[in-house]
Amino acid sequence: MDRPAQLVARPMERAVAYDPGTEADSLHLRAARVLEGNWTGTSTVPSRGLYPHQWSWDSAFIAIGLRHLSPLRAQTELETLLAAQWGDGRVPHIVFNPSVPLDAYFPSPDFWRSSTAGRAAGAPRTVQTSGIVQPPVHALAAWLVHLADPGLSRARGFLSTVYPRLAAWHRYLLHRRDLGGGSLASVVHPWEQGMDNSPCWDAPLARITPAPARSFRRADLDHGAPEDRPTDLDYGRYVRLATDYRDRGYDDGRPAPSGPTGPNAFAVEDPAFNALLIASEHALARIARELGATGTARHARAERLTAALVDRLWDPARGMFLCRDVAGGELIPERGVSGLVPLLLPTLPRDIATTLVRTMCGPHFGLGSTTRLVPSYDLRGEAFDPHRYWRGPAWFNTGWLLERGLRLHGERGRADALRRAILHTADASGFAEYVDPYTGEACGTTDFGWTAALALDLLHDQPAWDKGTATAFKGGDRG
């Protein structure tokens, strides 16, 4: 087990993104202390109070930052998560810590009942998990973690351990979750997409009958201001969807829309979820090549999925990608930050990438003019709120993804400016969960795991992304 002193020390052999003066050293140490404080021994919680378990995409982002402090701990982070994978391939969005009291977080293990309700889907018997998923950032994280210390990775057999699990995870999404029949993965709950409270979900959620308020207790309100959190009505709908999914044994239903009243009453093709799947498919191709196989088929699949993403979710009139309501059959006319995340993709058509940058910097998101960081929702939208969860505040994980996308597509000046803004705001806000996009005021909880981790990544890895990882993503080396 790594010792705390190793976690906060700067590895001497690693290059940093700029001359590491006193300010950079201090940011490095403060971020490292957040990750040390959130470490449980085998994984990292997003937040000690509000989120006391292991979350799926949080752990992927956290591993990306941890690799600069302790590659061993970053590998362990992903191995711990993937050890809770279900037999059907799904990676659950929460892995519960049995030492945490049941009333510390809702929905708790006794709500999900994974080992019984999920038995037919192959839920593990030795650990309790949720039954839904989160965005598939994991293969991308695994490849970046490997690059941090290839010698350690090879000595431990890290990639050979995680590759079959990651491959099964992608198979599950590409086959069991193609509910719209258009090759894209669907989410069956807003929590799966990760941007839980986005206005993009309002229309499909409106047809869901909420669970009675007396049937659950919201532990999140013990740690956050009610005006910043989802409403009780929306939360009741979240609980109803999760309850119904559990009660049908976490069965994903037919591979086609079942209509607004069937088992897939909420099924949405989301651009960010699918963009991260595509980016991870490119990364999985690199992992396959490292293990001695060819990555050609996976790169080709990623390119086909990029074409499907453009065909099904691109809206040229709005200049960005939109969510598709699978049950209703239409695009959802709301501008969320999810629709900008496909900028991360290396084979995105040049005209679409250019348009996405223009939209990001235009009046609906205001980057570089009216906002410090990219807001989670349209500044001009009726539902915009600069403080309410995913309905306007800026988040650091989406900022990191967009910085990477800008850099990948040659927008170095804009990428550098966004990077500086993320680093300054993360530090000044106490590594907040999310912030007001105009002022940078902290919202939600502080000492948040992925905020600290991704700040570390931006602090240390700009050259590696420019020269190494980005080149790999462009698919020039097919093997």
Side-chain angles (χ1 to χ4, degrees), residues 42-43 54-61 75-86 90-95 124 127 129 134-135 137-138 165-166 169:
T42 55
S43 64
Q54 183 179 27
W55 261 258
S56 173
W57 75 326
D58 290 75
S59 276
F61 286 124
Q75 292 175 28
T76 302
E77 184 81 37
L78 294 173
E79 290 165 348
T80 300
L81 176 70
L82 292 172
Q85 185 173 29
W86 289 29
R90 81 182 74 196
V91 176
H93 97 297
I94 302 174
V95 181
V127 63
T129 76
Q134 276 190 324
V137 199
H138 310 90
R165 291 184 176 273
L166 293 169
W169 170 219

Side-chain angles (χ1 to χ4, degrees), residues 10 15-21 23-25 27-28 67-68 360-361 367-368 371-374 395-408 411-428 431 451-466:
R10 183 190 308 284
V16 295
Y18 58 90
D19 183 27
E23 184 178 353
D25 284 333
L27 173 57
H28 171 99
R67 67 193 175 115
H68 301 290
M360 190 189 313
C361 299
L367 183 65
T371 60
R372 296 187 182 191
L373 302 178
V374 183
W395 290 71
F396 292 92
N397 64 330
T398 53
W400 181 87
L401 291 168
L402 294 173
E403 192 274 350
R404 307 281 83 168
L406 287 166
R407 202 168 295 285
L408 182 66
E411 294 282 349
R412 175 168 289 195
R414 288 189 170 99
D416 286 345
L418 179 55
R419 174 179 167 274
R420 287 192 297 269
I422 291 171
L423 290 173
H424 172 78
T425 308
D427 197 17
F431 302 101
T451 304
L454 296 177
L456 276 169
D457 191 61
L458 291 177
L459 186 66
H460 293 296
D461 203 47
Q462 182 179 336
W465 188 270
D466 284 347

Side-chain angles (χ1 to χ4, degrees), residues 187 197 247 267 270 330 358 371 479:
V187 297
N197 196 38
D247 290 351
D270 173 77
E330 305 95 8
R358 186 164 58 244
T371 60

